[in-house]
Amino acid sequence: MACVCGARAQPGQAAKTSAQRNSYPKTFGSHFETSDRCVACHNGISTSTGQDISIGVAWRTSMMANSGRDPYWIAGVRREAIDHPTAAAAIQDECTICHMPMMRYESHLIGREGEAFVHFPPGHNTRADQMAEDGVSCSVCHQITGDGLGTRASFVGGFKIDTSKAAGERHEYGPFEVDKGHATIMRTSSTFQPFEETKVIRSSELCATCHTLLTKALDAEGKEIGELPEQVPYQEWVHSSYRDKTSCQDCHMPKVPEEVPITSVLGEPRAGFSQHTFVGGNFFMQRLLNRFRNDLAVTTPPEDLNSAAIRTIAHLQSEAAKIRINGLDARDGHLEAEVSIENLGGHKLPTAYPSRRVWLHVMVRDGHGRVVFESGALRPDGSIVGNDNDADATRFEPHFAEITRPDQVEIYEAILADREGKVTTGLLTGVRYIKDNRLLPEGFDKRTVDKDIAVHGKAEEDPDFTGGGDTVRYSVALGSGEAPFQVEAELWYQPIAYRWAMNLKPYDAPEPKRFVGYYQEMASGSAVMMVRATATTGPSKSEKELLKTLPYQ
């Protein structure tokens, strides 16, 4: 925890922060309610077998609920503000659109910009602090109207809520019709009119408002120099075969297969209730929030966050990918095999924030169990053996159609470049991708895509890199190893790649220092194996001769 002590604000900073916090008007924040006003009725619900499906219990473990206390996010905001000091205020405003949406939306309504640092770490008591801390709360998503959804104007947090009605008259929207009795209870508790039944809440276009981020690149003076499609899972989904059969909510908010009440107060059974787990891939941050819960004012019970991390890993290991080994052959001191990965999701794997990576760890063992070849081993510090980018921030590992040496690693990732073509992890410095070989979803045609979701680098010309997955050929020397040979192929996933964390280290500011310290303490658990396959060659020549002498059984 030494890293946190070094990250404390100086006295002058604290005084300024206090003054900023107290500068919000007393009437601030009337268009939203924090989650505590909702979960009183929407917790305490379960299935017929006793499974707890309480909305608030599930939501509070998600990254949606914790977006305002995400230490990696706030470290990145500080980095960008240091890199582009003349645009620091605008950067905070832009970055709070989706991480602190209620505070930022209300700030704009009174002519102010959203502020990030003043509300972090959380745990303060002004209305603005409470709204920032509550992240993507109930009354954000359930107030979004259908106006313009799916259009470019709706992206980057361009959702619309109805601000024309007075408090007590505003509507919230949901998938079910609500009777008058429940409407009265809801209005009394939350000040909102009852849910109006709408299909909007179950549309992928609603999710796209915050999960499509088109970032404006800036030069050192804060001048706009380009645009980076930072996160575009919705566009990837539109270009896949999943568009016509599966929505975002179908995967990330799985439906309960029986009729259940959606409220603990006189709730009637409903069919098609979607659990508010928002299961994704960031198990690492769920565990980090749990471990440093005191620093980050985490209120979710430890056992709930631990269960959520386990649930996230289970999703990654069962719903995200498949792997198999084909064409295995070993002869004359040489082994050849094909490793195929299938992407089971409706977007790229991994998708969204470009710090995420998936890679192949492949080992070959001989008949004595000795490792005669290995590519893609994970070190305890979170780096990958043989990965050029982890060793040197200016380089990166290319996409491989064939791997012949241990220092070649197949990593599915997005690599950014600045306007001079140099590798960067600065979102506001990056103007394009020089590598994007993230695994494509089924039905994705890389030849016809829009530039925002295009494949970049050598994968563009790899005929085996197609919609649905990739096949990599391994052609390796076996040295003095003896048959039979076993090939072990594993697909690993890391939400925050080593380089993305370590590039924050030079920044002398509380937020980057805090996060780098957290990362280094937890690096050994920063990645997880998703799927695994093994295959074994036939017996050696001497074993074949021995088998010929054995009697039939």
Side-chain angles (χ1 to χ4, degrees), residues 358-401:
V358 164
W359 75 95
L360 281 171
H361 175 216
V362 174
M363 285 195 300
V364 180
R365 299 179 187 272
D366 72 2
H368 298 286
R370 297 174 298 195
V371 176
V372 296
F373 174 85
E374 184 172 18
S375 165
L378 179 69
R379 293 190 180 98
D381 65 358
S383 64
I384 302 171
V385 176
N387 178 24
D388 289 347
N389 190 232
D390 287 350
D392 182 348
T394 67
R395 302 168 61 211
F396 65 94
E397 203 77 357
H399 173 83
F400 293 98

mmCIF file of all heavy atoms in Angstrom, residues 358-401:
data_model
loop_
_atom_site.group_PDB
_atom_site.id
_atom_site.type_symbol
_atom_site.label_atom_id
_atom_site.label_comp_id
_atom_site.label_asym_id
_atom_site.label_seq_id
_atom_site.Cartn_x
_atom_site.Cartn_y
_atom_site.Cartn_z
ATOM 1 N N VAL A 358 -5.522 -10.653 -26.094
ATOM 2 C CA VAL A 358 -5.672 -12.103 -26.039
ATOM 3 C C VAL A 358 -4.476 -12.684 -26.771
ATOM 4 O O VAL A 358 -4.042 -12.130 -27.786
ATOM 5 C CB VAL A 358 -7.004 -12.532 -26.706
ATOM 6 C CG1 VAL A 358 -7.010 -14.020 -27.007
ATOM 7 C CG2 VAL A 358 -8.191 -12.159 -25.822
ATOM 8 N N TRP A 359 -3.910 -13.794 -26.278
ATOM 9 C CA TRP A 359 -2.753 -14.357 -26.962
ATOM 10 C C TRP A 359 -2.690 -15.874 -26.788
ATOM 11 O O TRP A 359 -3.343 -16.452 -25.922
ATOM 12 C CB TRP A 359 -1.460 -13.711 -26.484
ATOM 13 C CG TRP A 359 -0.975 -14.129 -25.122
ATOM 14 C CD1 TRP A 359 -0.061 -15.102 -24.834
ATOM 15 C CD2 TRP A 359 -1.369 -13.573 -23.854
ATOM 16 N NE1 TRP A 359 0.141 -15.183 -23.482
ATOM 17 C CE2 TRP A 359 -0.651 -14.262 -22.855
ATOM 18 C CE3 TRP A 359 -2.255 -12.559 -23.474
ATOM 19 C CZ2 TRP A 359 -0.786 -13.971 -21.498
ATOM 20 C CZ3 TRP A 359 -2.407 -12.274 -22.133
ATOM 21 C CH2 TRP A 359 -1.678 -12.965 -21.161
ATOM 22 N N LEU A 360 -1.867 -16.485 -27.644
ATOM 23 C CA LEU A 360 -1.658 -17.925 -27.609
ATOM 24 C C LEU A 360 -0.398 -18.268 -26.821
ATOM 25 O O LEU A 360 0.673 -17.731 -27.075
ATOM 26 C CB LEU A 360 -1.522 -18.476 -29.026
ATOM 27 C CG LEU A 360 -2.826 -18.667 -29.814
ATOM 28 C CD1 LEU A 360 -2.522 -19.012 -31.269
ATOM 29 C CD2 LEU A 360 -3.688 -19.755 -29.179
ATOM 30 N N HIS A 361 -0.580 -19.152 -25.864
ATOM 31 C CA HIS A 361 0.549 -19.748 -25.158
ATOM 32 C C HIS A 361 0.625 -21.200 -25.615
ATOM 33 O O HIS A 361 -0.294 -21.990 -25.359
ATOM 34 C CB HIS A 361 0.341 -19.668 -23.643
ATOM 35 C CG HIS A 361 1.400 -20.366 -22.841
ATOM 36 N ND1 HIS A 361 1.129 -21.035 -21.669
ATOM 37 C CD2 HIS A 361 2.744 -20.504 -23.064
ATOM 38 C CE1 HIS A 361 2.245 -21.549 -21.187
ATOM 39 N NE2 HIS A 361 3.240 -21.240 -22.019
ATOM 40 N N VAL A 362 1.687 -21.550 -26.312
ATOM 41 C CA VAL A 362 1.828 -22.885 -26.900
ATOM 42 C C VAL A 362 3.110 -23.531 -26.383
ATOM 43 O O VAL A 362 4.188 -22.933 -26.432
ATOM 44 C CB VAL A 362 1.851 -22.812 -28.444
ATOM 45 C CG1 VAL A 362 2.146 -24.192 -29.038
ATOM 46 C CG2 VAL A 362 0.513 -22.287 -28.961
ATOM 47 N N MET A 363 2.965 -24.745 -25.882
ATOM 48 C CA MET A 363 4.116 -25.522 -25.401
ATOM 49 C C MET A 363 4.138 -26.883 -26.085
ATOM 50 O O MET A 363 3.092 -27.460 -26.360
ATOM 51 C CB MET A 363 4.043 -25.732 -23.888
ATOM 52 C CG MET A 363 4.384 -24.525 -23.057
ATOM 53 S SD MET A 363 4.700 -24.975 -21.315
ATOM 54 C CE MET A 363 3.142 -25.711 -20.857
ATOM 55 N N VAL A 364 5.341 -27.372 -26.311
ATOM 56 C CA VAL A 364 5.538 -28.729 -26.825
ATOM 57 C C VAL A 364 6.409 -29.467 -25.818
ATOM 58 O O VAL A 364 7.509 -29.010 -25.481
ATOM 59 C CB VAL A 364 6.205 -28.727 -28.214
ATOM 60 C CG1 VAL A 364 6.383 -30.167 -28.707
ATOM 61 C CG2 VAL A 364 5.389 -27.917 -29.207
ATOM 62 N N ARG A 365 5.919 -30.607 -25.347
ATOM 63 C CA ARG A 365 6.669 -31.451 -24.416
ATOM 64 C C ARG A 365 7.031 -32.770 -25.113
ATOM 65 O O ARG A 365 6.247 -33.283 -25.914
ATOM 66 C CB ARG A 365 5.857 -31.755 -23.164
ATOM 67 C CG ARG A 365 5.462 -30.528 -22.350
ATOM 68 C CD ARG A 365 4.638 -30.945 -21.138
ATOM 69 N NE ARG A 365 4.099 -29.806 -20.416
ATOM 70 C CZ ARG A 365 4.742 -29.157 -19.441
ATOM 71 N NH1 ARG A 365 5.951 -29.588 -19.062
ATOM 72 N NH2 ARG A 365 4.192 -28.129 -18.843
ATOM 73 N N ASP A 366 8.188 -33.295 -24.769
ATOM 74 C CA ASP A 366 8.566 -34.569 -25.362
ATOM 75 C C ASP A 366 8.075 -35.727 -24.489
ATOM 76 O O ASP A 366 7.357 -35.513 -23.491
ATOM 77 C CB ASP A 366 10.072 -34.643 -25.607
ATOM 78 C CG ASP A 366 10.895 -34.785 -24.327
ATOM 79 O OD1 ASP A 366 10.306 -34.871 -23.227
ATOM 80 O OD2 ASP A 366 12.139 -34.818 -24.441
ATOM 81 N N GLY A 367 8.460 -36.925 -24.864
ATOM 82 C CA GLY A 367 7.968 -38.101 -24.164
ATOM 83 C C GLY A 367 8.406 -38.202 -22.719
ATOM 84 O O GLY A 367 7.828 -38.974 -21.948
ATOM 85 N N HIS A 368 9.399 -37.422 -22.321
ATOM 86 C CA HIS A 368 9.856 -37.401 -20.926
ATOM 87 C C HIS A 368 9.271 -36.217 -20.151
ATOM 88 O O HIS A 368 9.663 -35.976 -19.007
ATOM 89 C CB HIS A 368 11.388 -37.344 -20.880
ATOM 90 C CG HIS A 368 12.055 -38.526 -21.507
ATOM 91 N ND1 HIS A 368 12.101 -39.770 -20.909
ATOM 92 C CD2 HIS A 368 12.674 -38.666 -22.711
ATOM 93 C CE1 HIS A 368 12.728 -40.618 -21.696
ATOM 94 N NE2 HIS A 368 13.090 -39.973 -22.804
ATOM 95 N N GLY A 369 8.369 -35.480 -20.788
ATOM 96 C CA GLY A 369 7.742 -34.343 -20.124
ATOM 97 C C GLY A 369 8.551 -33.065 -20.181
ATOM 98 O O GLY A 369 8.171 -32.062 -19.571
ATOM 99 N N ARG A 370 9.673 -33.082 -20.901
ATOM 100 C CA ARG A 370 10.510 -31.885 -21.007
ATOM 101 C C ARG A 370 9.935 -30.910 -22.028
ATOM 102 O O ARG A 370 9.475 -31.324 -23.100
ATOM 103 C CB ARG A 370 11.925 -32.278 -21.406
ATOM 104 C CG ARG A 370 12.643 -33.154 -20.386
ATOM 105 C CD ARG A 370 13.980 -33.634 -20.909
ATOM 106 N NE ARG A 370 13.845 -34.455 -22.107
ATOM 107 C CZ ARG A 370 14.798 -35.217 -22.607
ATOM 108 N NH1 ARG A 370 15.977 -35.269 -21.995
ATOM 109 N NH2 ARG A 370 14.606 -35.920 -23.707
ATOM 110 N N VAL A 371 9.988 -29.616 -21.725
ATOM 111 C CA VAL A 371 9.518 -28.584 -22.651
ATOM 112 C C VAL A 371 10.590 -28.371 -23.711
ATOM 113 O O VAL A 371 11.722 -27.959 -23.398
ATOM 114 C CB VAL A 371 9.212 -27.261 -21.924
ATOM 115 C CG1 VAL A 371 8.823 -26.186 -22.923
ATOM 116 C CG2 VAL A 371 8.101 -27.459 -20.904
ATOM 117 N N VAL A 372 10.253 -28.646 -24.973
ATOM 118 C CA VAL A 372 11.208 -28.463 -26.065
ATOM 119 C C VAL A 372 10.890 -27.231 -26.907
ATOM 120 O O VAL A 372 11.692 -26.827 -27.751
ATOM 121 C CB VAL A 372 11.251 -29.720 -26.964
ATOM 122 C CG1 VAL A 372 11.773 -30.909 -26.170
ATOM 123 C CG2 VAL A 372 9.883 -30.036 -27.554
ATOM 124 N N PHE A 373 9.710 -26.658 -26.670
ATOM 125 C CA PHE A 373 9.343 -25.402 -27.350
ATOM 126 C C PHE A 373 8.279 -24.711 -26.507
ATOM 127 O O PHE A 373 7.376 -25.361 -25.968
ATOM 128 C CB PHE A 373 8.786 -25.658 -28.751
ATOM 129 C CG PHE A 373 8.263 -24.405 -29.434
ATOM 130 C CD1 PHE A 373 9.130 -23.583 -30.135
ATOM 131 C CD2 PHE A 373 6.921 -24.055 -29.343
ATOM 132 C CE1 PHE A 373 8.661 -22.419 -30.736
ATOM 133 C CE2 PHE A 373 6.444 -22.890 -29.946
ATOM 134 C CZ PHE A 373 7.323 -22.072 -30.643
ATOM 135 N N GLU A 374 8.379 -23.362 -26.405
ATOM 136 C CA GLU A 374 7.355 -22.598 -25.698
ATOM 137 C C GLU A 374 7.279 -21.192 -26.264
ATOM 138 O O GLU A 374 8.292 -20.530 -26.440
ATOM 139 C CB GLU A 374 7.629 -22.541 -24.198
ATOM 140 C CG GLU A 374 6.533 -21.831 -23.412
ATOM 141 C CD GLU A 374 6.706 -21.946 -21.908
ATOM 142 O OE1 GLU A 374 7.840 -22.281 -21.454
ATOM 143 O OE2 GLU A 374 5.726 -21.711 -21.174
ATOM 144 N N SER A 375 6.071 -20.733 -26.528
ATOM 145 C CA SER A 375 5.815 -19.376 -27.015
ATOM 146 C C SER A 375 4.648 -18.786 -26.236
ATOM 147 O O SER A 375 3.607 -19.419 -26.107
ATOM 148 C CB SER A 375 5.471 -19.409 -28.506
ATOM 149 O OG SER A 375 4.881 -18.191 -28.932
ATOM 150 N N GLY A 376 4.844 -17.578 -25.701
ATOM 151 C CA GLY A 376 3.733 -16.858 -25.085
ATOM 152 C C GLY A 376 3.551 -17.074 -23.601
ATOM 153 O O GLY A 376 2.442 -16.877 -23.087
ATOM 154 N N ALA A 377 4.607 -17.429 -22.873
ATOM 155 C CA ALA A 377 4.496 -17.621 -21.423
ATOM 156 C C ALA A 377 4.270 -16.287 -20.720
ATOM 157 O O ALA A 377 4.831 -15.255 -21.117
ATOM 158 C CB ALA A 377 5.747 -18.294 -20.879
ATOM 159 N N LEU A 378 3.470 -16.309 -19.669
ATOM 160 C CA LEU A 378 3.179 -15.105 -18.880
ATOM 161 C C LEU A 378 4.137 -15.017 -17.706
ATOM 162 O O LEU A 378 4.299 -15.972 -16.944
ATOM 163 C CB LEU A 378 1.735 -15.152 -18.375
ATOM 164 C CG LEU A 378 1.272 -13.974 -17.505
ATOM 165 C CD1 LEU A 378 1.173 -12.693 -18.332
ATOM 166 C CD2 LEU A 378 -0.067 -14.288 -16.839
ATOM 167 N N ARG A 379 4.771 -13.866 -17.557
ATOM 168 C CA ARG A 379 5.633 -13.626 -16.407
ATOM 169 C C ARG A 379 4.808 -13.155 -15.210
ATOM 170 O O ARG A 379 3.691 -12.639 -15.374
ATOM 171 C CB ARG A 379 6.678 -12.555 -16.736
ATOM 172 C CG ARG A 379 7.713 -12.949 -17.784
ATOM 173 C CD ARG A 379 8.822 -11.913 -17.826
ATOM 174 N NE ARG A 379 9.857 -12.221 -18.815
ATOM 175 C CZ ARG A 379 9.900 -11.693 -20.032
ATOM 176 N NH1 ARG A 379 8.947 -10.828 -20.424
ATOM 177 N NH2 ARG A 379 10.865 -12.003 -20.858
ATOM 178 N N PRO A 380 5.347 -13.272 -13.986
ATOM 179 C CA PRO A 380 4.625 -12.806 -12.793
ATOM 180 C C PRO A 380 4.311 -11.309 -12.790
ATOM 181 O O PRO A 380 3.383 -10.873 -12.114
ATOM 182 C CB PRO A 380 5.583 -13.175 -11.640
ATOM 183 C CG PRO A 380 6.385 -14.316 -12.171
ATOM 184 C CD PRO A 380 6.571 -14.020 -13.635
ATOM 185 N N ASP A 381 5.071 -10.518 -13.549
ATOM 186 C CA ASP A 381 4.830 -9.069 -13.571
ATOM 187 C C ASP A 381 3.752 -8.670 -14.588
ATOM 188 O O ASP A 381 3.463 -7.486 -14.765
ATOM 189 C CB ASP A 381 6.118 -8.292 -13.840
ATOM 190 C CG ASP A 381 6.702 -8.546 -15.233
ATOM 191 O OD1 ASP A 381 6.137 -9.365 -15.990
ATOM 192 O OD2 ASP A 381 7.733 -7.925 -15.556
ATOM 193 N N GLY A 382 3.154 -9.644 -15.270
ATOM 194 C CA GLY A 382 2.093 -9.353 -16.235
ATOM 195 C C GLY A 382 2.570 -9.211 -17.666
ATOM 196 O O GLY A 382 1.748 -9.024 -18.567
ATOM 197 N N SER A 383 3.879 -9.309 -17.902
ATOM 198 C CA SER A 383 4.404 -9.222 -19.259
ATOM 199 C C SER A 383 4.460 -10.610 -19.888
ATOM 200 O O SER A 383 4.397 -11.627 -19.196
ATOM 201 C CB SER A 383 5.793 -8.586 -19.265
ATOM 202 O OG SER A 383 6.721 -9.409 -18.567
ATOM 203 N N ILE A 384 4.590 -10.645 -21.219
ATOM 204 C CA ILE A 384 4.626 -11.895 -21.963
ATOM 205 C C ILE A 384 6.046 -12.119 -22.487
ATOM 206 O O ILE A 384 6.625 -11.233 -23.122
ATOM 207 C CB ILE A 384 3.641 -11.867 -23.149
ATOM 208 C CG1 ILE A 384 2.216 -11.609 -22.655
ATOM 209 C CG2 ILE A 384 3.705 -13.175 -23.930
ATOM 210 C CD1 ILE A 384 1.227 -11.361 -23.795
ATOM 211 N N VAL A 385 6.593 -13.281 -22.227
ATOM 212 C CA VAL A 385 7.931 -13.626 -22.723
ATOM 213 C C VAL A 385 7.931 -13.583 -24.249
ATOM 214 O O VAL A 385 7.074 -14.178 -24.901
ATOM 215 C CB VAL A 385 8.350 -15.029 -22.241
ATOM 216 C CG1 VAL A 385 9.700 -15.416 -22.843
ATOM 217 C CG2 VAL A 385 8.402 -15.096 -20.722
ATOM 218 N N GLY A 386 8.875 -12.841 -24.815
ATOM 219 C CA GLY A 386 8.996 -12.762 -26.263
ATOM 220 C C GLY A 386 8.210 -11.647 -26.911
ATOM 221 O O GLY A 386 8.386 -11.379 -28.108
ATOM 222 N N ASN A 387 7.364 -10.959 -26.148
ATOM 223 C CA ASN A 387 6.568 -9.870 -26.729
ATOM 224 C C ASN A 387 7.409 -8.606 -26.844
ATOM 225 O O ASN A 387 7.852 -8.046 -25.843
ATOM 226 C CB ASN A 387 5.326 -9.606 -25.878
ATOM 227 C CG ASN A 387 4.495 -8.452 -26.409
ATOM 228 O OD1 ASN A 387 4.553 -8.123 -27.593
ATOM 229 N ND2 ASN A 387 3.727 -7.835 -25.538
ATOM 230 N N ASP A 388 7.623 -8.146 -28.045
ATOM 231 C CA ASP A 388 8.450 -6.964 -28.273
ATOM 232 C C ASP A 388 7.918 -5.730 -27.551
ATOM 233 O O ASP A 388 8.694 -4.925 -27.035
ATOM 234 C CB ASP A 388 8.544 -6.676 -29.780
ATOM 235 C CG ASP A 388 9.387 -7.699 -30.525
ATOM 236 O OD1 ASP A 388 10.095 -8.472 -29.856
ATOM 237 O OD2 ASP A 388 9.320 -7.738 -31.767
ATOM 238 N N ASN A 389 6.605 -5.564 -27.506
ATOM 239 C CA ASN A 389 6.025 -4.358 -26.924
ATOM 240 C C ASN A 389 6.216 -4.307 -25.411
ATOM 241 O O ASN A 389 6.438 -3.240 -24.841
ATOM 242 C CB ASN A 389 4.541 -4.264 -27.267
ATOM 243 C CG ASN A 389 3.936 -2.925 -26.902
ATOM 244 O OD1 ASN A 389 2.914 -2.854 -26.229
ATOM 245 N ND2 ASN A 389 4.555 -1.837 -27.343
ATOM 246 N N ASP A 390 6.146 -5.464 -24.752
ATOM 247 C CA ASP A 390 6.379 -5.485 -23.312
ATOM 248 C C ASP A 390 7.837 -5.177 -22.987
ATOM 249 O O ASP A 390 8.135 -4.560 -21.967
ATOM 250 C CB ASP A 390 5.990 -6.839 -22.729
ATOM 251 C CG ASP A 390 4.491 -7.047 -22.675
ATOM 252 O OD1 ASP A 390 3.754 -6.071 -22.904
ATOM 253 O OD2 ASP A 390 4.049 -8.187 -22.421
ATOM 254 N N ALA A 391 8.744 -5.586 -23.863
ATOM 255 C CA ALA A 391 10.172 -5.337 -23.647
ATOM 256 C C ALA A 391 10.577 -3.920 -24.025
ATOM 257 O O ALA A 391 11.491 -3.345 -23.437
ATOM 258 C CB ALA A 391 11.007 -6.345 -24.446
ATOM 259 N N ASP A 392 9.893 -3.345 -25.006
ATOM 260 C CA ASP A 392 10.287 -2.047 -25.562
ATOM 261 C C ASP A 392 9.025 -1.317 -26.020
ATOM 262 O O ASP A 392 8.337 -1.766 -26.932
ATOM 263 C CB ASP A 392 11.237 -2.256 -26.736
ATOM 264 C CG ASP A 392 11.743 -0.963 -27.347
ATOM 265 O OD1 ASP A 392 11.207 0.115 -27.025
ATOM 266 O OD2 ASP A 392 12.662 -1.033 -28.186
ATOM 267 N N ALA A 393 8.723 -0.181 -25.394
ATOM 268 C CA ALA A 393 7.489 0.548 -25.690
ATOM 269 C C ALA A 393 7.416 1.060 -27.119
ATOM 270 O O ALA A 393 6.332 1.418 -27.597
ATOM 271 C CB ALA A 393 7.344 1.730 -24.723
ATOM 272 N N THR A 394 8.533 1.105 -27.821
ATOM 273 C CA THR A 394 8.538 1.638 -29.189
ATOM 274 C C THR A 394 8.287 0.564 -30.249
ATOM 275 O O THR A 394 8.179 0.868 -31.430
ATOM 276 C CB THR A 394 9.884 2.314 -29.503
ATOM 277 O OG1 THR A 394 10.927 1.319 -29.531
ATOM 278 C CG2 THR A 394 10.210 3.370 -28.456
ATOM 279 N N ARG A 395 8.233 -0.707 -29.830
ATOM 280 C CA ARG A 395 8.076 -1.806 -30.774
ATOM 281 C C ARG A 395 6.799 -2.579 -30.466
ATOM 282 O O ARG A 395 6.133 -2.320 -29.471
ATOM 283 C CB ARG A 395 9.294 -2.736 -30.697
ATOM 284 C CG ARG A 395 10.625 -2.046 -30.970
ATOM 285 C CD ARG A 395 11.787 -2.946 -30.583
ATOM 286 N NE ARG A 395 11.778 -4.181 -31.367
ATOM 287 C CZ ARG A 395 12.231 -5.356 -30.910
ATOM 288 N NH1 ARG A 395 12.705 -5.453 -29.687
ATOM 289 N NH2 ARG A 395 12.197 -6.421 -31.682
ATOM 290 N N PHE A 396 6.451 -3.538 -31.331
ATOM 291 C CA PHE A 396 5.309 -4.408 -31.052
ATOM 292 C C PHE A 396 5.450 -5.704 -31.828
ATOM 293 O O PHE A 396 6.203 -5.795 -32.799
ATOM 294 C CB PHE A 396 3.984 -3.719 -31.393
ATOM 295 C CG PHE A 396 3.797 -3.411 -32.854
ATOM 296 C CD1 PHE A 396 3.112 -4.298 -33.691
ATOM 297 C CD2 PHE A 396 4.286 -2.226 -33.408
ATOM 298 C CE1 PHE A 396 2.937 -4.016 -35.032
ATOM 299 C CE2 PHE A 396 4.117 -1.943 -34.756
ATOM 300 C CZ PHE A 396 3.439 -2.830 -35.570
ATOM 301 N N GLU A 397 4.743 -6.706 -31.386
ATOM 302 C CA GLU A 397 4.765 -8.015 -32.011
ATOM 303 C C GLU A 397 3.809 -8.008 -33.202
ATOM 304 O O GLU A 397 2.623 -7.665 -33.051
ATOM 305 C CB GLU A 397 4.318 -9.066 -30.986
ATOM 306 C CG GLU A 397 4.775 -10.466 -31.271
ATOM 307 C CD GLU A 397 6.234 -10.714 -30.936
ATOM 308 O OE1 GLU A 397 6.944 -9.763 -30.515
ATOM 309 O OE2 GLU A 397 6.674 -11.852 -31.106
ATOM 310 N N PRO A 398 4.251 -8.374 -34.400
ATOM 311 C CA PRO A 398 3.341 -8.374 -35.548
ATOM 312 C C PRO A 398 2.378 -9.562 -35.483
ATOM 313 O O PRO A 398 2.521 -10.448 -34.635
ATOM 314 C CB PRO A 398 4.293 -8.519 -36.736
ATOM 315 C CG PRO A 398 5.442 -9.299 -36.182
ATOM 316 C CD PRO A 398 5.614 -8.810 -34.765
ATOM 317 N N HIS A 399 1.421 -9.574 -36.383
ATOM 318 C CA HIS A 399 0.547 -10.740 -36.538
ATOM 319 C C HIS A 399 1.319 -11.819 -37.299
ATOM 320 O O HIS A 399 2.029 -11.532 -38.264
ATOM 321 C CB HIS A 399 -0.711 -10.358 -37.315
ATOM 322 C CG HIS A 399 -1.573 -11.535 -37.660
ATOM 323 N ND1 HIS A 399 -2.470 -12.079 -36.778
ATOM 324 C CD2 HIS A 399 -1.655 -12.279 -38.800
ATOM 325 C CE1 HIS A 399 -3.085 -13.101 -37.350
ATOM 326 N NE2 HIS A 399 -2.602 -13.247 -38.575
ATOM 327 N N PHE A 400 1.179 -13.068 -36.865
ATOM 328 C CA PHE A 400 1.875 -14.167 -37.500
ATOM 329 C C PHE A 400 0.890 -15.134 -38.150
ATOM 330 O O PHE A 400 -0.094 -15.533 -37.528
ATOM 331 C CB PHE A 400 2.715 -14.950 -36.480
ATOM 332 C CG PHE A 400 3.872 -14.181 -35.911
ATOM 333 C CD1 PHE A 400 3.757 -13.563 -34.666
ATOM 334 C CD2 PHE A 400 5.060 -14.070 -36.605
ATOM 335 C CE1 PHE A 400 4.821 -12.860 -34.129
ATOM 336 C CE2 PHE A 400 6.135 -13.360 -36.076
ATOM 337 C CZ PHE A 400 6.016 -12.752 -34.838
ATOM 338 N N ALA A 401 1.176 -15.519 -39.384
ATOM 339 C CA ALA A 401 0.463 -16.630 -40.008
ATOM 340 C C ALA A 401 1.146 -17.938 -39.626
ATOM 341 O O ALA A 401 0.505 -18.989 -39.534
ATOM 342 C CB ALA A 401 0.440 -16.476 -41.522
#
